[in-house]
């Protein structure tokens, strides 16, 4: 038989520091004390029956709702309240009373089991406050960052929208130009077409020969032109003056880029220039403005038409890309915009994980091996109250005898944008933790943070 | 875990595997032999009945007190056999047949019998030229030896109970030299063991007058790409048994088949050959992971058993003269009186060894269980915690994962006792080690579990990675403890770690060394709450014939062929011994095994291997565990949820509901399945699973008491209805419901979308109470029960008392000191009886110091009394009796507790709608003498 301590004396300190005692049955929270009046019959909290008060906490379950045994393990559905002065009060299932395991930090759940529990509430409280404080700081700073992100996103969005509008305007003009050139081309092609039909083969051969000849001439000309110091060699610096050759079109033609064009050589002579020419001829602008008089009018019309058509296509692509970007759900205030077209990596003992938000997640073995797609952007799939806390990436590389790989990315507030962990809880279902300021909520007033016991 | 059979492992393996998986989801039958592909089975099965060449040479009879010997001769080849007959204590007969003068000794299976079975005197009653009549002691039992052809009949009065060689299918392939390779050098060492004349005889004659080389598979046999060299040639044995009056036979696990064995005419015999079968199929006689060569025969008059002690590949044929008949046909026979008596004929065929048969004559089912237990031992008494719930998965990824799953159980208020780690926990599948990244602090992890009063199981398989830097491998190598191949070099095969060696567990010194590896200072990172799981111990060899070891591999002087089916038993034996030793002999071990043999019950638990998340697999778990229970292995369970594939939520819930009422209660899942911890299927399903796990924990006192009984008597814990209702023929084929002990009847729901089931409640004149509603039902009826997803039809037998602990906590250890509630279910005669067993739950002190409480609880004449069944036992418990429910009671005017000469009134409530009387808090200690009087 268990010994029965019907009443528990609680000693606690109010903010003035004066000890006060409040008596109530073991395991009853202060809010429910009025229902447990000593020496008066007790009515189960569900109202199902009334029992003498000495059957409260007598280690036998009388009430269906378990309310007569708040301080013993007798009821299967009971719950026990621990005050946990210095930390957070909590309810535990009454099956954890005297089970030999310390659940309440104030040790009150193990009053008769022989378990050696230590009161750790103060420690936990301090730790929790510390953590909360740190979190608050992070949230505060994160939230500031988020405001900037929102601002930038707003600006960026406006810019892009403006750009799209401009481009659509330009596109119209371009379309008109394409149409005009098409007419020119078709007119110019008419005589050529007729000649072609007459001597198709001879004409093709002749045309190729001419083209080759022309190209050779152009190359020789270009060589001479490029060889500024006329030493019989085209050097890196000589080539570098032609900014139009910039391979990445970033506006500057670096030395490295030039070396690349020259196949790594420092200089080339006429005989080796040919390979360089192949690299540059499409972009090369002659220094002398030249009249393309020798070009057949049909060819010229054709080229003009094709150029303009290409320009139109490129513009279409650009518009599409911007529109695609604009169509993404970057959050209520577009705060996730900055993640677009970025990638974040985490290296573990075996793999390098790579998260490219709104695009894909991948995994690559650290020591060689090919990349595995862990999913492409699916949707926001957080809880109903805030779907922007979880990203879902789906339809990755298929698993052996299993589903396609997929990744769930959990977002938490942080000053930095980093992948903090990855795991594979289920085969081929990955979980990634990701911090970003974009999910930081407006911090609660610091004064409202718990300072100790708020209960009692 | 199972494995796919890959002939050549290497670069192509992944490719092969992919191909395999894209095909249908079922066993690849082509990987396993049929009888036709197993040369001895084919040869033996080709023999025709009624032409036995064997004759008993009555003049050679020798009778000592307890042993009769007699020579038999095969008139075709003049080879002499020696027949030994023993009358064993406890109504058993042992029949041994061996060659009189074998070329070299033939293998006799050691370590299965717990001792040389004690004998009783045999006496000759009469003898003439045709035969001998022997007395088998009491009950007018006779053993008749007929001379020509040789035949044995066991009679009781005028009835023949059982006959041997009645169909003349005794066949004993004697050892002889290969005719066409007489001069081969290893013939020399063989010659030494035999006298010259015999040798001459052997070589010159052949049973069928044919040269050996002309017959297939006698001296060499190839299956797929594997060649079995068979240096000893053909050595198979066979014997038939006839069972007049028997239509129902059971046992010979392990097969994924019905409880009642089917006839095998026209198909393959039931096969016993421990194999790692990938994605096994249901309802066929193919061999599975374990083998127990014990068959039970039952009719309304008698239950008998046949134990064929042979560890080589074995096939069992069953035929019956009534098998084809319909119920109507049988009735017609009965009315016309023209029928021959029903009879079942059995035939055992083994590849090697000797004939060593134990005939257990019952007559009651419980007698057969105790007879078999007296030979091979009883179920080991498990630690109480191992009867709780086990959470397993291949694999919990790392320590964090273990911790979060552990916390998940607390968050969802679901009890569990053991969390399991599969092969990925070890460092590169080097058992006894831990993955340095994922499980870098095993003791910290184990301590975390211990703080919650929970435990862990880590897998230790018998294949050892060939790696000179691995301590286990290098020690086994230096001690020369590996199994050898036919050339005498260490046998190597592919398994999880890649190239692996297989320790020779048949060597006692090897087992002792293996056991010593479980010492806390040897098994780094282990603690007292770490237990063991032996998987793949058939043994599984991915690139071996039929995914197992080559038969011509060598265990000392014996071929693997001889010992195959007992390898797994030895692995578990040595592991359990290690766990006992690490605690200085104080603590009970817990070891789960996949492979098993007769006697494995002494070492721990068994599960039904790699099943699948299919309704059929849920259903088959019942007959599979029932069959094991009948032949000694009570501690049986199936992977809850199904190992392969993902179960539907409904299937998972139903599987928990079924598994909670089976002895070994463990959820397990394949690496490629999605997570399925109990709380991952929505709050309603979490609640359903929580509820049934709680039901299991509340009943732990009953389970524990039943396991104590199984340990003491050999009575199965989970049993078919016919065991308790042996005269009720309706029960003989029931295997969709079962009894736990005698007092709980369970009819799990194993059909998808079920809205109702019909359960058979046995026992004319008896009553059963629904354990959830206390509704009373009459016995001997088919009861239709409407069901919802929360329903688990369970009934308590009227006349029983079941102690429960209704305060369910997060693990069994946490419930140690909790009070009991007694559920007294009255019979129509207002009587009930039950037992209560209490000890410390984990040590051997119950055995070594008699530290336990064993009480008889009896309700009779309106008084419930607790009396001591073990007065010289001593154990103190702080558990008490908090409540007594009496089902089927009438309302008393007063209830009084009589204890220590004092009488105190007890409060009570009476529910007249269900006739349930609840006694409120009588409060006596569970170990005390007391009486509750209803007045």
């Amino acid at each position: 038989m268990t010994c029965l301590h019907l009443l528990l004396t609680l000693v606690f300190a109010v903010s003035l520091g004066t000890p006060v005692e409040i008596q109530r049955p073991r395991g009853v929270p202060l809010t429910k004390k009025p229902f447990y009046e000593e020496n008066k019959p007790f009515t189960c909290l569900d109202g199902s029956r009334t029992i003498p008060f000495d059957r409260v906490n007598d280690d036998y379950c009388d009430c269906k709702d378990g309310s007569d045994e708040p301080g013993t393990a007798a009821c299967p559905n009971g719950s026990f309240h621990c005050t946990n002065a210095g930390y957070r009060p909590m309810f535990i299932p009454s099956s954890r009373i005297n089970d030999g395991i310390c659940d309440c930090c104030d040790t009150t759940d193990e009053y008769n089991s022989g378990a050696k529990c230590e009161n750790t509430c103060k420690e936990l409280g301090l730790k929790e406050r510390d953590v909360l404080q740190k979190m608050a700081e992070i949230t505060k700073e994160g939230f500031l960052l988020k405001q900037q992100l929102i601002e930038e996103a707003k600006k960026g969005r406006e810019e892009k929208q403006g750009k799209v509008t401009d481009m659509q305007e330009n596109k119209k003009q371009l379309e008109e130009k394409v149409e005009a050139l098409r007419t020119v081309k078709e007119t110019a092609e008419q005589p050529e077409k007729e000649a072609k039909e007459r001597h198709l083969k001879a004409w093709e051969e002749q045309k190729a020969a001419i083209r080759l000849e022309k190209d050779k001439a152009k190359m020789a000309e270009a060589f001479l032109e490029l060889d500024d110091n006329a030493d019989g060699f085209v050097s890196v610096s000589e080539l570098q003056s032609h900014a139009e050759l910039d391979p990445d079109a970033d506006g500057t033609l670096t030395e490295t880029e030039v070396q690349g064009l020259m196949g790594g050589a420092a200089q080339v002579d006429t005989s080796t220039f040919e390979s360089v020419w192949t690299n540059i001829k499409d972009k090369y602008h002659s220094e002398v403005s030249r009249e393309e008089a020798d070009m057949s009018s049909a060819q010229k019309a054709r080229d003009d038409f094709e150029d303009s058509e290409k320009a139109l296509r490129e513009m279409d692509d650009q518009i599409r890309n911007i529109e695609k970007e604009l169509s993404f759900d970057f959050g209520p205030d577009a705060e996730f915009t900055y993640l677009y077209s970025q990638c974040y990596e985490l290296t573990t003992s075996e793999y390098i994980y790579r998260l490219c938000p709104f695009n894909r997640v991948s995994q690559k073995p650290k020591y060689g091996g090919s990349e595995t797609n862990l999913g492409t952007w699916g949707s926001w799939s957080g809880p109903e109250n805030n779907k922007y806390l979880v990203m879902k990436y789906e339809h990755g590389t298929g698993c052996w005898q299993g589903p396609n790989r997929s990744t769930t990315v959990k977002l938490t507030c942080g000053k930095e944008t980093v992948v903090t962990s990855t795991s594979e809880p289920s085969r081929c279902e990955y979980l990634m933790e990701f911090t970003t300021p974009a999910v930081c909520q407006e911090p609660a007033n610091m004064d409202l943070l718990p300072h100790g016991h708020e209960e009692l | 875990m199972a494995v796919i059979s890959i002939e050549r492992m290497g670069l192509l393996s992944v490719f092969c595997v992919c191909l395999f998986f894209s095909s249908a989801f079922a066993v690849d039958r082509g990987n396993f032999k049929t009888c036709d592909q197993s040369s001895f089975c084919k040869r033996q099965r080709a023999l025709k009945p009624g032409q036995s060449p064997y004759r008993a040479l009555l003049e050679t009879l020798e009778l000592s007190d307890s042993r009769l010997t007699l020579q038999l001769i095969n008139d075709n080849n003049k080879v002499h056999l020696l027949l030994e007959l023993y009358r064993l204590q406890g109504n058993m007969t042992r029949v041994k047949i061996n060659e009189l003068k074998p070329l070299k000794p033939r293998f006799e299976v050691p370590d299965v019998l717990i001792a040389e079975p004690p004998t009783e005197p045999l006496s000759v009653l009469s003898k003439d030229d045709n035969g001998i009549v022997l007395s088998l002691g009491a009950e007018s039992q006779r053993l008749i030896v007929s001379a020509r052809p040789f035949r044995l009949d066991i009679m009781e009065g005028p009835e023949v109970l059982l006959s041997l060689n009645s169909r003349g299918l005794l066949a004993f392939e004697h050892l002889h030299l290969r005719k066409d390779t007489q001069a081969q050098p290893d013939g020399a060492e063989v010659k030494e063991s035999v006298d010259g004349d015999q040798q001459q005889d052997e070589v010159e004659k052949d049973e069928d007058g044919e040269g050996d080389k002309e017959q297939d598979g006698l001296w060499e046999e190839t299956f797929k790409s594997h060649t079995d060299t068979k240096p000893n040639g053909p050595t198979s044995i066979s014997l038939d048994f006839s069972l007049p009056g028997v239509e129902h036979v059971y046992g010979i696990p392990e097969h994924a088949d019905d409880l009642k064995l089917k006839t095998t005419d026209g198909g393959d015999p039931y096969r016993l050959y421990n194999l790692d079968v990938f994605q096994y199929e249901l309802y066929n006689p193919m061999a599975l992971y374990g083998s127990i060569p014990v068959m039970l025969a039952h009719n309304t008059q008698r239950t008998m058993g046949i134990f064929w002690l042979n560890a080589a590949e074995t096939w069992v044929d069953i035929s019956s003269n009534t098998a084809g008949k319909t119920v109507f046909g049988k009735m017609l026979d009965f009315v016309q009186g023209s029928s021959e008596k029903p009879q079942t004929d059995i035939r055992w065929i083994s590849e090697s060894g000797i004939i060593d048969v134990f005939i257990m004559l019952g007559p009651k089912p419980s007698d057969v269980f105790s007879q078999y237990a007296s030979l091979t031992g009883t179920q080991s008494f498990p630690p109480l915690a191992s009867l709780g719930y086990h959470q397993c998965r291949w694999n919990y990824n790392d320590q964090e994962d273990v911790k979060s799953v552990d916390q998940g159980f607390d968050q969802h208020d679901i009890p569990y006792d053991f969390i399991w780690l599969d092969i990925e926990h070890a460092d590169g599948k080097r058992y006894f080690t831990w993955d340095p990244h994922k499980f870098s602090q095993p003791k910290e992890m184990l301590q975390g579990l211990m703080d919650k009063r929970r435990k862990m199981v880590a897998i230790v398989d018998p294949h050892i990675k060939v790696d000179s830097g691995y301590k286990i491998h290098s020690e086994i190598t230096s001690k020369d403890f590996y199994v050898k191949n036919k050339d005498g070099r260490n046998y190597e095969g592919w398994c999880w770690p890649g190239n692996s060696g297989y320790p020779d567990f048949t060597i006692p010194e090897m087992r002792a060394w293996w056991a010593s590896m479980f010492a806390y200072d040897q098994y780094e990172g282990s603690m007292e709450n770490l237990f063991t799981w032996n998987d793949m111990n058939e043994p599984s060899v991915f690139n071996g014939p039929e995914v197992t070891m080559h038969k011509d591999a060598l265990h000392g002087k014996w071929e693997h062929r001889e010992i195959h089916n007992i390898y797994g038993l030895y692995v578990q034996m040595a592991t359990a011994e290690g766990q006992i030793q690490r605690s200085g002999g104080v603590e009970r071990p817990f070891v789960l095994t996949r492979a098993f043999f007769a006697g494995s019950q002494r070492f721990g638990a068994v599960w039904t291997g790699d099943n699948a998340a299919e309704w059929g697999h849920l259903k088959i778990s019942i007959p599979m565990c029932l069959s094991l229970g009948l032949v000694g292995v009570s501690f049986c369970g199936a992977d809850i949820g199904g190992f392969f594939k993902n179960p539907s939520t409904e299937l998972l819930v139903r599987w928990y509901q079924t598994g909670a009422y089976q002895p070994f209660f463990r959820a397990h899942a394949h690496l490629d399945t999605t997570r399925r911890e109990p709380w991952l299927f929505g709050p309603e399903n979490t609640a359903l699973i929580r509820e049934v796990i709680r039901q299991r924990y509340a009943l732990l006192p009953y389970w524990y008491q039943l396991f104590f009984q199984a340990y003491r008597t050999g009575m199965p814990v989970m049993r078919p209805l016919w065991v308790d209702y042996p005269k009720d023929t309706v029960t003989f084929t029931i295997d969709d419901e079962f009894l736990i002990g005698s007092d709980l009847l369970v009819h799990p729901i194993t059909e998808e979308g079920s809205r109702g089931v019909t359960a058979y409640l046995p026992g004319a004149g008896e009553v059963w109470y629904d354990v959830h509603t206390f509704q009373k039902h009459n016995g001997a009826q088919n009861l239709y029960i409407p069901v919802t997803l929360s329903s688990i039809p369970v009934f308590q037998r009227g006349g029983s008392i079941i102690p429960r602990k209704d305060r369910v906590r997060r693990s069994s250890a946490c419930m140690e000191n909790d009070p009991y509630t007694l559920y007294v279910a009255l019979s129509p005669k207002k009587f009930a009886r039950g037992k209560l067993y209490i000890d410390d739950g984990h040590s051997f002190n119950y055995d070594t110091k008699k530290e336990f409480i064993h009480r008889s609880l009896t309700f009779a004449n309106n008084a419930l009394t607790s009396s001591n069944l073990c007065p010289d036992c001593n154990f103190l418990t702080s558990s008490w009796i908090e409540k007594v429910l009496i089902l089927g009671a009438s309302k008393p005017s007063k209830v009084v507790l009589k204890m220590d000469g004092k009488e105190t009134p007890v409060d009570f409530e009476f529910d007249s709608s269900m006739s349930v009387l609840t006694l409120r808090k009588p409060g006596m200690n569970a170990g005390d003498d007391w009486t509750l009087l209803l007045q």
Side-chain angles (χ1 to χ4, degrees), chain A residues 1-2 4 49 51-52 54-62 68-69 72-78 92-103 109-110 112-113 115 349-350 399-403 422-429, chain B residues 4 14 17-18 21 25 278-279 393 395 397 401 409-414 437-438 451-453 644-645 670-675 694 806-811 813-814 817-819 878 880 882-883 907 909 918-921 923-925:
Chain A
M1 289 276 265
T2 53
L4 306 172
R49 68 190 289 191
I51 54 171
D54 63 8
R55 292 195 172 179
V56 170
N57 276 347
D58 74 336
D59 208 14
Y60 184 89
C61 191
D62 292 286
D68 63 317
E69 297 294 317
T72 77
C75 294
N77 51 350
I92 58 167
S94 57
S95 65
R96 295 182 193 172
I97 300 169
N98 290 328
D99 67 350
I101 299 164
C102 310
D103 291 284
D109 61 318
E110 295 300 315
N112 195 27
S113 71
S349 56
E350 283 174 84
C399 255
W400 180 60
Q401 210 202 11
T422 63
S423 56
E424 189 183 357
S426 225
R427 188 75 153 172
C428 304
E429 289 175 15
Chain B
I4 17 69
V14 173
V17 165
C18 293
F21 276 96
F25 191 93
F278 182 76
Q279 295 180 341
R393 173 174 183 82
N395 209 108
N397 295 332
D401 200 3
F409 278 93
D410 287 342
Q411 274 158 21
H412 298 91
D413 201 19
I414 300 172
H437 302 293
K438 297 168 185 162
D451 291 345
K452 295 264 194 81
R453 308 184 75 176
F644 292 113
K645 309 215 294 180
H670 189 274
L671 186 69
D672 289 330
T673 61
T674 48
R675 292 294 278 244
R694 291 174 66 99
D806 282 336
R807 302 183 180 190
V808 174
R809 304 198 190 236
R810 68 187 126 192
S811 71
C814 292
N817 298 318
D818 280 341
S878 42
W880 48 288
E882 67 169 327
K883 199 195 278 193
D907 282 326
E909 279 174 43
T918 305
L919 309 187
R920 185 188 190 280
K921 208 183 173 190
M924 50 284 191
N925 184 284

Side-chain angles (χ1 to χ4, degrees), chain A residues 219 223-224 232-234 268-274:
Chain A
M219 181 174 85
F223 187 88
L224 291 174
F233 291 100
V234 171
V268 289
D269 59 14
T270 42
S271 61
T272 46
F273 183 67
E274 192 172 343

Side-chain angles (χ1 to χ4, degrees), chain B residues 84-148:
Chain B
E84 294 173 79
L85 288 173
Y86 302 86
R87 182 180 153 216
L88 302 183
Q89 282 178 19
N91 204 14
M92 289 181 283
T93 300
R94 183 180 192 176
V95 178
K96 278 176 94 167
I97 301 175
N98 195 354
E99 290 180 53
L100 181 65
K101 290 179 180 174
L103 265 182
K104 56 183 184 178
R106 296 182 64 120
F107 186 69
E108 299 186 38
V109 186
D111 300 311
V112 169
L113 301 177
I114 47 174
E116 199 49 44
T119 54
E120 286 187 13
L122 272 171
S123 55
V124 175
L125 292 176
S126 63
K127 182 181 169 188
D128 62 21
D129 289 349
N130 298 319
I132 313 163
V133 179
L134 296 155
S135 167
L136 284 176
E139 293 185 48
S140 62
Q141 282 183 355
R142 305 275 179 273
L143 176 61
I144 298 166
V145 183
S146 306
R148 185 192 292 262

